[in-house]
Amino acid sequence: MRMNKPAAALAVAAMMTLAACGGGSSDTGSDEPGDDATFQEGGNAGAFKDESREAPAPVPDDAAEGGTLTVMTAVAPSTLDPTQAYYTDSTAILSDLVTRSLTQYAYNEETNDMQLIPDMATDLGRPNEDNTEWTFTLRDGLKYEDGTDVTAEDVAYAIKRSFAIAELPDGPTYQTTFFLDGDKYKGPFSDKGEYAGVTTDGNDITIKMRRPFSDMDYYASFPAFTAIPEAKDNPETYGQHPLATGPYKFADYKAGSSLTLVKNDQWDPNTDPGRIQMVDGWDFKFAQDTAKLENVIINDNGSAQTTLTYDNVSAASYRQIQAEKERLVTGTQPCTFMWYIDMTKVKDIKVRQAIGYAYPYEDAWKAGGDIVGVTRVPGTSILPPGTAGRKEYDALGIGGVNTDPEKSKELLKEAGAEGYEIKFLFSSDDEQAVAAKDAIVKGLEAGGFKATPIASTVETIRTDRTDYNSPINVRSSGWCSDWPSGGSWFPAQWSGDLVGLEGMPNPANFKEKKFDDEQNRILDELSPEDATKAWGDFDQSMEEEVYPAVVTGYGGVAMIHGSKVGGMANDNVRGMPTFSRMYITQ
Amino acid sequence: MFGYIVRRIISGVLVLLVVSVAVFALFFYGPADPALAYCPETRCTPTRLENIRHSLGLDQPVAEQYGTYMKNIVTGGEFELGAIGIDCPAPCLGVSFKLRVPVTEYLADRFKATLSIALGGAAIFLTVGLTMGILAARRRGTLADKGIVGVSLFINAIPYYLLALLGWLFLISQWGIFPESGYYGPIEEGPVAWVKGMLLAWVILGLAYSTAYARFSRGSMIESLNEDYVRTARAKGLSERRVTMRHAMRAAIVPVVTIFGLDFAFLLAGTIFTERIFDIQGIGLSALDAINGKDLPIISATVLIAALFIVVMNIIVDVIYSVIDPRVRLT
Amino acid sequence: MGISPTELSQQDVPAEPEVVKQEIAGRSPVQIALGRLRSDKIAVACVVIVVFFILIAVFAPLLTRLFGVELRAGSPSEDLDQFNFPLIGPPDHGFTWEAPLGLAPNTGHDNLADWLYGARTSLTIATVSTLLATLIGVSIGLLAGFSRGWMDKVINFIIDVFLSLPFLLVALALAPIIVSRFGNSPDALKFWQFTALLLVLTLFGWMTLARLVRGEVLSLREREFVQAARVIGVPTRRILFKELLPNLIAPIIVSISLGLPAFVAAEAGLAYLGIGVVGIPSWGQTIDNAVPFFNTYPLYLYAPLVGVFLLVVALNLLGDAVRDAFDPKTRR
């Protein structure tokens, strides 16, 4: 899943490709060391699934019936078509409130975590022996907002629809990698033939794979795995009003400015173990001014009491809302920000490590508007907190935050590379990005480097960054979990096979035989459990032996809400509010 | 007079043509590749980009693109985005790259908010401005006159966006004296919600603009009060009220009409600051969003529409001019 | 908000400059106006304020050193607390000479240094674009007024086109285009951001003056002294600059003095909307950054706000006074 685009995040790490992370997570605001221990030891991804969750979902005691929750945000979802939804805001709105999928995430109050639970399916799917065939069974009594029945064929159609990347771009694309004929089938619009990868039998939907796919249950939680009646589908307009299967339906949607949801009376709580339907409706206001929306929520007058935002609170307001902790929701996102060092250009490990020592972590974060420890959490491992198998290590011994310019100079001297020139991109049209750039230049120069920032714009920086011919030798970007283990991290960004591919999927141009061999060994030879742990070791040895990336912290979440908003917690799979269980307090 | 109007319309159309060519050339030759805005974040391969350019018609020569654009305004058109067509009825100003809706339809919807601002604001600044101006003129030299002139000079000197910003910050956000601003359809959501959402925007806009009208109407009122025909009217024994309202004002209002016409046209073209600060989803804010999102069809359309308003308003003003001022004869 | 540096409408400008009276007094219109200005208390106060700002702008580097502050020298990790608020000075720690106006949140940059340099940015942009716009306006106005026939028509048409363009919109759309077309090297970027702003402001600031000058020239060229010059074979260029231009001094000065505040305000307004010089201290930029802090750190917002406010009000009132001084008819 991709992060939605708050201005600050855009500036620092425009490209994030994050998806469902089933792993547990630590709440940065919480001081219960208990939850952290499990996942940092390696954990078991399966522990975060709860197949037995029963419908209906319990309604909290302090919940009042009725009222409207208002959601204000500075950004706007790029699409509300279930197939295209990949940014966290689109997926949270759709999955939590409007369109149900085969599986879903639900908040667990005891662990402060999201858990994978069944949704339209009766369970989390039944794989065959080698994970090449998955079967899901639909519940009885599922209906669309217009009262018609949801059928297995509709789900099968939705799955086929997700292959129509030409007509419906931007969505997740794992189906093309893992599903049968995924590389050939082009979706129901341009490909009128049959697709053999999905079959239905009564309430059963069976998906056939072309290679083992053990994480299908997680993937089935994406809005793309909802039900779409073929007869009512027009790919160009469906996103204007996707047919609701969840507790709320579209009443009015103005792309880029507002979305009004009202109760869907066809939704039956007895078929849904994860959602409640206490408020009468939801009012989403997009593209709002940040200062304005924060002021409204903080002042907490009248309708502001039932207003919330999913944007990270700005430094201007964080201190004010600090006094009222119960109106501030903090947590993590399974994302790591990095400075990828171009291995083909910066060949000496001493120079690479010197960059890590010289990088002005705190200065750059603060200048960029991040609140350290809240919206940006220092760290040293590439795998972010919450990923199963993650290992805590510190390659440079500076805790991911203590800049050491002397050490940097020393290393440069040893390498005979004093005054080494670092070229990096920044968005010249974003004041905060410019401020962060200034801080980085200052830091690098203090560490004995020559810093040459190269101007780009918010609009073009991602294209510029993925240009192999660009003169830059470090790339600022990031990555977010797709699956609960390192298997979604290293093969996706750190495999030598990716070097030279379109779009620069391997931003560090990292191609080391030893590490490629190790990756293949983990993928081919180890059991899923052993692999989980092996990725943590891989993470550590790669950073300690090669240091191809400076970890510049993990993504944090700090959202504020009015005093009568109930049930709002951080959905740490997405870094969004847990819409599905929210209500207005009595 | 008829001939005059025809000539004015022809020259107006010419102006609009030149504006459209300029806008088209400027934006479409601009380096911001509009296709990029339409390309997904992670998988924008050159082939994909090429396909998008093709489906948007951006790979055609500019002259041809311009021709299509003009043709679509008159006859409407069909747009192919991906595998799906969007019907764009005349007057078609293109289809938004980002929102995938016909621009005309989109802007027409947003126009309601802008029209609301303009109407309410104009009502306030005309009433306040003219009243103050005439009052000051009739009491020329008194304390009241000096007060009005001084205050209006002062308010006029404050940059408008600061006035609006401070107004919003304090009167709405901090002290809550005015209700939350925003656009609510007077029919859909009721006139009360409409007025409440617009109130401070109207007041601030009205206040800022009224200063110019006060000074203007004062000036021209003083001038016409000194005219011979006013003296004649007085000599005939007409009441002072009748002299002011019937005789002097009629002449004094002429220059006011001129600036009002232009001001109103600019307001209709989009009150960017007002809309941005008071969060009113009108044409100005659409334009701002479109500029940030490089949504060229919307940018071009807003510029063209603005020019249209200004040109049309200019013609209307000149015609009204001749109607209210018998001294002006159009030839 | 459009830029209309010349608020002179036709009836504000004397169609017949009072040449006759002046000849008797033996003083030029400029002298008369200066005399009137000197006795105008508000005008004098405004001059003082404006001169104050000009001095700040000119001596900004010296003043920053004098106060012992430094431009853009903040170190967020050392100067800011966990909430990204400054550790010294306002809003929490009272006045300190180390940072008389406090430090900016997030970056830790010194506000006073930014403010002083901001004055410089504002005044430079306003002055340069006013002068450029005046130059263009006067030249085009002279050209249109003196050439009869198609040339006049074409120029008029061009003015019509420019007047019918919505300034803000075009400025917003145009500036990024100029920047990305020319600013592809880091060194060129700052220059072109600055230039783009100047160009945009200039491009939309000349039309009213051009119209005005044209109108003046139209009436002047029928006057005896111009006719006479023609008859004795004075070349056109000489007539334009030696005979006509001196008679246009009054409207030009008025236009400049009303143009300056309009441009200062426009620069700040554009910066607020997100175009302008990023990375160079500017009041508009600071205001944009400071608005979210208006109740937690008001000084951060008020310093640039007061700067813009004072300068624009003073320039505007001065401009009004200048206009009144040149045109006794509109005197208060």
Side-chain angles (χ1 to χ4, degrees):
Chain A
M1 230 171 295
R2 299 192 203 113
M3 248 188 215
N4 58 36
K5 295 181 264 186
L10 250 181
V12 191
M15 190 191 82
M16 304 295 284
T17 326
L18 87 126
C21 154
S25 167
S26 66
D27 181 344
T28 38
S30 120
D31 39 14
E32 295 164 273
D35 346 319
D36 290 34
T38 24
F39 69 78
Q40 286 186 354
E41 285 301 307
N44 176 0
F48 302 100
K49 298 174 187 171
D50 183 2
E51 196 156 27
S52 59
R53 231 1 136 103
E54 294 282 337
V59 174
D61 299 334
D62 62 336
E65 185 108 31
T68 299
L69 281 170
T70 306
V71 185
M72 295 172 88
T73 166
V75 289
S78 54
T79 176
L80 287 177
D81 186 298
T83 302
Q84 290 178 281
Y86 203 8
Y87 285 103
T88 53
D89 49 357
S90 311
T91 57
I93 293 170
L94 286 173
S95 285
D96 281 4
L97 300 170
V98 184
T99 58
R100 299 177 59 180
S101 301
L102 292 172
T103 61
Q104 66 178 320
Y105 285 97
Y107 184 70
N108 182 322
E109 282 178 45
E110 278 145 41
T111 60
N112 205 4
D113 248 336
M114 299 305 284
Q115 290 184 326
L116 191 71
I117 63 165
D119 190 354
M120 291 201 297
T122 51
D123 53 20
L124 293 176
R126 298 178 300 278
N128 63 356
E129 187 70 13
D130 59 354
N131 285 317
T132 52
E133 198 177 292
W134 282 73
T135 304
F136 294 86
T137 307
L138 283 190
R139 290 168 198 269
D140 290 321
L142 298 170
K143 282 187 165 61
Y144 291 108
E145 59 180 85
D146 56 4
T148 52
D149 286 329
V150 172
T151 65
E153 284 74 26
D154 295 347
V155 179
Y157 175 71
I159 296 173
K160 288 187 209 162
R161 196 178 187 263
S162 68
F163 286 92
I165 290 165
E167 293 85 359
L168 297 162
D170 284 4
T173 54
Y174 289 94
Q175 65 279 15
T176 62
T177 319
F178 287 103
F179 288 16
L180 187 69
D181 294 334
D183 47 344
K184 296 181 206 119
Y185 184 60
K186 295 293 170 227
F189 308 114
S190 48
D191 202 335
K192 294 296 172 199
E194 281 299 301
Y195 173 56
V198 186
T199 52
T200 57
D201 177 18
N203 271 1
D204 285 356
I205 300 139
T206 303
I207 305 170
K208 296 193 184 68
M209 306 292 164
R210 64 182 167 121
R211 59 168 64 111
F213 189 29
S214 55
D215 296 316
M216 184 58 224
D217 45 354
Y218 291 109
Y219 194 35
S221 71
F222 274 88
F225 293 86
T226 183
I228 298 174
E230 182 167 7
K232 288 171 187 147
D233 181 26
N234 172 350
E236 197 55 45
T237 55
Y238 193 73
Q240 283 297 311
H241 189 139
L243 278 188
T245 44
Y248 297 95
K249 60 183 177 186
F250 279 40
D252 180 53
Y253 175 42
K254 292 196 177 75
S257 65
S258 69
L259 168 68
T260 311
L261 300 178
V262 294
K263 267 188 182 173
N264 172 16
D265 53 11
Q266 299 295 324
W267 172 80
D268 179 359
N270 294 317
T271 64
D272 196 331
R275 301 179 183 83
I276 61 172
Q277 192 190 37
M278 291 307 285
V279 293
D280 291 337
W282 293 76
D283 233 337
F284 286 86
K285 294 182 176 178
F286 306 122
Q288 302 288 302
D289 185 73
T290 299
K292 185 178 162 173
L293 76 89
E294 288 184 348
N295 246 293
V296 167
I297 296 175
I298 287 174
N299 288 342
D300 203 34
N301 294 322
S303 67
Q305 292 176 343
T306 55
T307 300
L308 61 127
T309 179
Y310 52 77
D311 298 346
N312 265 347
V313 66
S314 73
S317 306
Y318 178 64
R319 193 170 70 163
Q320 271 176 291
I321 201 73
Q322 254 283 320
E324 296 176 75
K325 274 230 160 65
E326 70 284 356
R327 296 213 280 129
L328 176 71
V329 172
T330 57
T332 54
Q333 277 178 314
C335 300
T336 307
F337 295 88
M338 282 173 265
W339 246 30
Y340 298 85
I341 306 168
D342 195 325
M343 296 288 292
T344 58
K345 290 178 179 164
V346 189
K347 292 196 171 119
D348 191 331
I349 184 170
K350 290 197 172 112
V351 178
R352 293 197 295 270
Q353 286 172 333
I355 299 175
Y357 284 111
Y359 190 87
Y361 300 92
E362 214 179 325
D363 283 349
W365 296 333
K366 285 189 160 183
D370 271 317
I371 306 161
V372 179
V374 179
T375 62
R376 185 67 77 96
V377 183
T380 48
S381 313
I382 289 179
L383 291 176
T387 322
R390 174 175 186 266
K391 201 165 169 188
E392 189 81 54
Y393 65 90
D394 189 351
L396 300 184
I398 55 171
V401 65
N402 301 312
T403 307
D404 188 347
E406 292 316 313
K407 181 86 185 166
S408 163
K409 277 187 196 154
E410 204 181 299
L411 280 168
L412 283 181
K413 200 169 172 191
E414 281 174 35
E418 286 126 316
Y420 192 92
E421 188 178 17
I422 300 293
K423 293 183 179 172
F424 62 98
L425 292 170
F426 75 103
S427 305
S428 62
D429 49 352
D430 177 330
E431 180 83 2
Q432 289 195 323
V434 172
K437 180 263 304 178
D438 288 343
I440 292 172
V441 169
K442 215 182 277 180
L444 289 176
E445 282 172 354
F449 286 95
K450 177 176 191 284
T452 308
I454 293 178
S456 183
T457 60
V458 172
E459 189 72 20
T460 55
I461 194 161
R462 65 190 148 93
T463 324
D464 293 349
R465 191 179 44 227
T466 53
D467 176 3
Y468 285 97
N469 299 320
S470 168
I472 52 176
N473 53 14
V474 292
R475 291 179 163 80
S476 170
S477 182
W479 190 255
C480 299
S481 291
D482 280 332
W483 313 124
S485 85
S488 75
W489 280 74
F490 300 102
Q493 277 207 305
W494 302 97
S495 157
D497 297 342
L498 301 172
V499 173
L501 292 189
E502 187 62 49
M504 207 168 186
N506 182 338
N509 281 325
F510 180 78
K511 189 173 189 161
E512 302 280 313
K513 186 164 186 317
K514 178 188 161 191
F515 290 93
D516 282 346
D517 290 348
E518 174 65 7
Q519 286 199 31
N520 287 332
R521 191 182 73 85
I522 298 174
L523 286 173
D524 298 339
E525 293 169 26
L526 299 187
S527 68
E529 290 76 34
D530 290 342
T532 303
K533 191 155 165 39
W535 287 122
D537 296 331
F538 182 89
D539 182 356
Q540 180 172 15
S541 57
M542 185 173 84
E543 278 289 84
E544 283 181 351
E545 290 167 35
V546 189
Y547 202 72
V550 182
V551 173
T552 58
Y554 307 124
V557 172
M559 307 175 286
I560 57 176
H561 59 82
S563 56
K564 288 196 163 170
V565 175
M568 178 162 158
N570 174 39
D571 168 352
N572 57 20
V573 168
R574 304 187 178 103
M576 291 286 291
T578 48
F579 289 130
S580 57
R581 61 189 287 276
M582 285 171 59
Y583 52 88
I584 291 171
T585 54
Q586 281 165 359
Chain B
M1 173 139 163
F2 181 72
Y4 173 81
I5 293 176
V6 170
R7 257 182 293 132
R8 282 299 303 267
I9 288 175
I10 291 172
S11 106
V13 170
L14 275 179
V15 167
L16 285 177
L17 273 179
V18 172
V19 168
S20 71
V21 171
V23 165
F24 209 83
L26 194 69
F27 295 160
F28 280 73
Y29 272 124
D33 188 343
L36 215 53
Y38 193 61
C39 203
E41 284 243 322
T42 43
R43 296 185 307 278
C44 201
T45 62
T47 354
R48 254 198 82 80
L49 210 57
E50 212 38 64
N51 286 340
I52 293 172
R53 276 201 199 101
H54 181 72
S55 69
L56 295 175
L58 294 172
D59 51 353
Q60 316 253 318
V62 172
E64 205 164 303
Q65 286 185 46
Y66 179 76
T68 322
Y69 190 75
M70 283 294 128
K71 197 189 113 238
N72 284 343
I73 293 181
V74 183
T75 62
E78 271 274 322
F79 281 81
E80 297 282 318
L81 295 179
I84 301 97
I86 293 181
D87 189 38
C88 178
C92 171
L93 291 166
V95 167
S96 156
F97 294 166
K98 288 246 160 112
L99 307 170
R100 304 196 194 177
V101 291
V103 172
T104 322
E105 193 182 292
Y106 171 72
L107 288 181
D109 186 45
R110 292 294 190 96
F111 182 66
K112 290 181 259 173
T114 302
L115 186 66
S116 301
I117 299 179
L119 284 178
I124 292 187
F125 68 66
L126 276 184
T127 351
V128 174
L130 289 184
T131 318
M132 290 292 149
I134 291 167
L135 209 74
R138 282 179 61 180
R139 312 248 163 95
R140 198 184 172 192
T142 64
L143 207 63
D145 177 29
K146 281 187 181 137
I148 289 172
V149 172
V151 169
S152 78
L153 268 178
F154 185 71
I155 294 178
N156 189 47
I158 306 171
Y160 173 69
Y161 90 97
L162 285 187
L163 201 67
L165 189 64
L166 291 174
W168 179 79
L169 279 178
F170 286 101
L171 298 179
I172 290 183
S173 181
Q174 187 77 336
W175 301 329
I177 295 172
F178 281 82
E180 275 293 321
S181 59
Y183 175 70
Y184 304 96
I187 296 149
E188 301 91 327
E189 277 146 293
V192 177
W194 179 63
V195 170
K196 271 176 122 180
M198 288 283 161
L199 196 56
L200 188 62
W202 284 342
V203 170
I204 299 271
L205 188 82
L207 193 68
Y209 274 72
S210 65
T211 59
Y213 286 84
R215 291 166 71 192
F216 234 85
S217 51
R218 174 183 175 273
S220 61
M221 193 71 187
I222 287 174
E223 214 163 295
S224 61
L225 278 173
N226 290 335
E227 296 280 354
D228 290 344
Y229 65 86
V230 173
R231 204 184 308 155
T232 315
R234 283 218 180 92
K236 279 199 296 190
L238 292 181
S239 73
E240 186 61 28
R241 193 187 154 74
R242 206 177 152 80
V243 169
T244 334
M245 299 314 272
R246 286 279 313 199
H247 290 79
M249 209 166 97
R250 188 149 173 206
I253 210 139
V254 173
V256 177
V257 167
T258 326
I259 43 167
F260 174 72
L262 270 186
D263 278 347
F264 199 68
F266 272 102
L267 286 180
L268 290 183
T271 43
I272 295 186
F273 283 112
T274 316
E275 288 172 27
R276 153 108 208 249
I277 291 169
F278 294 104
D279 183 38
I280 295 165
Q281 305 281 334
I283 300 251
L285 213 53
S286 324
L288 199 60
D289 289 346
I291 286 165
N292 289 331
K294 304 276 184 304
D295 204 338
L296 284 183
I298 295 187
I299 306 177
S300 321
T302 45
V303 173
L304 265 184
I305 291 174
L308 177 73
F309 280 134
I310 295 163
V311 166
V312 169
M313 216 38 120
N314 259 323
I315 299 176
I316 295 179
V317 161
D318 284 349
V319 173
I320 294 181
Y321 212 101
S322 76
V323 174
I324 45 178
D325 190 342
R327 292 172 300 183
V328 177
R329 285 282 167 265
L330 300 175
T331 44
Chain C
M1 185 193 69
I3 293 189
S4 46
T6 46
E7 284 187 354
L8 293 170
S9 69
Q10 293 300 346
Q11 88 273 6
D12 280 353
V13 183
E16 301 273 324
E18 282 121 76
V19 188
V20 191
K21 276 183 244 154
Q22 284 148 18
E23 272 165 7
I24 296 167
R27 291 195 296 166
S28 76
V30 178
Q31 281 172 321
I32 296 173
L34 273 177
R36 285 189 188 131
L37 270 183
R38 245 178 257 126
S39 56
D40 185 338
K41 279 183 207 120
I42 294 178
V44 173
C46 290
V47 169
V48 172
I49 294 175
V50 171
V51 168
F52 170 73
F53 277 105
I54 293 175
L55 289 178
I56 286 176
V58 173
F59 296 108
L62 191 73
L63 285 169
T64 37
R65 235 174 301 143
L66 213 63
F67 278 104
V69 293
E70 211 182 317
L71 186 67
R72 305 262 145 150
S75 163
S77 54
E78 284 160 31
D79 301 335
L80 305 177
D81 65 12
Q82 52 165 328
F83 305 113
N84 294 7
F85 276 70
L87 284 167
I88 55 163
D92 303 319
H93 307 280
F95 179 81
T96 162
W97 277 110
E98 262 180 85
L101 288 181
L103 299 176
N106 289 342
T107 57
H109 293 325
D110 187 87
N111 286 340
L112 178 65
D114 261 40
W115 190 87
L116 293 169
Y117 277 88
R120 182 177 247 206
T121 311
S122 275
L123 274 172
T124 315
I125 287 176
T127 314
V128 176
S129 30
T130 310
L131 290 182
L132 282 178
T134 309
L135 201 69
I136 298 177
V138 171
S139 332
I140 291 190
L142 280 176
L143 201 64
F146 210 72
S147 55
R148 291 152 204 267
W150 65 270
M151 184 71 155
D152 181 34
K153 284 218 171 74
V154 168
I155 292 175
N156 246 324
F157 185 75
I158 292 173
I159 294 178
D160 270 344
V161 169
F162 269 91
L163 280 176
S164 63
L165 284 172
F167 160 68
L168 263 184
L169 270 182
V170 179
L172 281 167
L174 196 58
I177 292 180
I178 300 177
V179 170
S180 47
R181 175 123 298 186
F182 299 104
N184 34 19
S185 86
D187 300 324
L189 184 76
K190 263 188 187 167
F191 171 77
W192 278 107
Q193 276 188 331
F194 203 78
T195 314
L197 193 60
L198 286 181
L199 280 179
V200 162
L201 289 175
T202 308
L203 218 54
F204 287 91
W206 59 270
M207 293 88 70
T208 333
L209 183 63
R211 278 247 157 114
L212 207 74
V213 169
R214 173 180 169 271
E216 289 284 287
V217 172
L218 277 182
S219 78
L220 282 173
R221 71 174 186 196
E222 305 305 330
R223 302 271 291 264
E224 289 88 348
F225 66 99
V226 178
Q227 303 282 19
R230 275 222 186 142
V231 170
I232 58 172
V234 180
T236 310
R237 200 196 313 162
R238 211 183 139 77
I239 297 182
L240 281 177
F241 291 101
K242 286 280 172 185
E243 306 289 342
L244 291 180
L245 205 53
N247 285 290
L248 297 171
I249 294 271
I252 291 171
I253 290 180
V254 171
S255 155
I256 290 177
S257 54
L258 286 171
L260 277 173
F263 282 118
V264 172
E267 188 270 332
L270 288 179
Y272 175 72
L273 289 180
I275 55 169
V277 281
V278 181
I280 300 175
S282 120
W283 286 340
Q285 292 282 352
T286 315
I287 291 174
D288 189 19
N289 289 338
V291 165
F293 294 89
F294 84 100
N295 51 0
T296 45
Y297 188 180
L299 182 65
Y300 182 35
L301 174 66
Y302 290 161
L305 211 73
V306 167
V308 176
F309 182 79
L310 267 184
L311 184 59
V312 174
V313 170
L315 281 171
N316 255 327
L317 294 182
L318 184 62
D320 279 325
V322 169
R323 183 180 57 181
D324 291 350
F326 274 106
D327 178 13
K329 265 173 108 181
T330 61
R331 276 194 73 103
R332 277 164 269 159

